[in-house]
Amino acid sequence: SDFSLSDFVGKTVVLYFYNKDDSPGCTKEACSFRDSYNKYKSLGIVVLGVSADDKASHQAFSTENKLPFPLLVDTDLSIIKSYDVDGGGYAERVTYVIDGNGQIIIVDANVNTATHATDILTQLGK
């Protein structure tokens, strides 16, 4: 289904861009968010992952790693380009945190894939 940031007015959104489904670093990063997901959910924070992979790839990656949050399909790179994270046909590893008013409050391009989800919570003071 289609998503729009306007669907999440009033909620904080973590929009994390990653290179590719099933790559070692991206798997660590996704599992970091999976392992911290209950904390995000309890705080009312929405987690969305974005890469240029197609729907079938996302479904397999999500199922294999038991991801409880959506992965957005961006095969035409429109989201990736609008957030200026185009690494030449793939998404660079950057996370945006967007507050409930639609304002970007954190841009994190210094990602430690194993601890990224907890690092974002720390930056949010949670």
Side-chain angles (χ1 to χ4, degrees):
S1 65
D2 290 341
F3 285 90
S4 170
L5 284 180
S6 63
D7 296 339
F8 306 108
V9 169
K11 293 188 177 256
T12 299
V13 176
V14 172
L15 186 65
Y16 85 92
F17 292 89
Y18 65 100
N19 311 128
K20 186 158 182 52
D21 292 340
D22 289 317
S23 67
C26 296
T27 300
K28 279 184 192 174
E29 185 177 17
C31 290
S32 170
F33 279 109
R34 176 201 65 205
D35 295 346
S36 294
Y37 186 72
N38 285 338
K39 175 78 170 173
Y40 278 90
K41 189 174 178 181
S42 74
L43 294 168
I45 299 172
V46 175
V47 176
L48 303 171
V50 184
S51 80
D53 295 299
D54 63 22
K55 183 177 181 179
S57 178
H58 277 350
Q59 286 176 331
F61 182 59
S62 185
T63 299
E64 179 181 339
N65 293 290
K66 298 177 174 58
L67 303 181
F69 50 84
L71 300 176
L72 307 185
V73 174
D74 192 27
T75 52
D76 68 357
L77 307 179
S78 60
I79 304 168
I80 290 167
K81 287 179 179 176
S82 69
Y83 282 85
D84 198 26
V85 294
D86 185 0
Y90 64 90
E92 294 175 347
R93 188 174 281 122
V94 178
T95 297
Y96 288 84
V97 180
I98 304 157
D99 72 13
N101 297 316
Q103 300 298 309
I104 295 170
I105 57 173
I106 295 172
V107 178
D108 187 347
N110 186 21
V111 175
N112 176 332
T113 57
T115 62
H116 190 50
T118 55
D119 295 343
I120 291 293
L121 287 170
T122 299
Q123 290 180 56
L124 287 168
K126 307 294 183 191

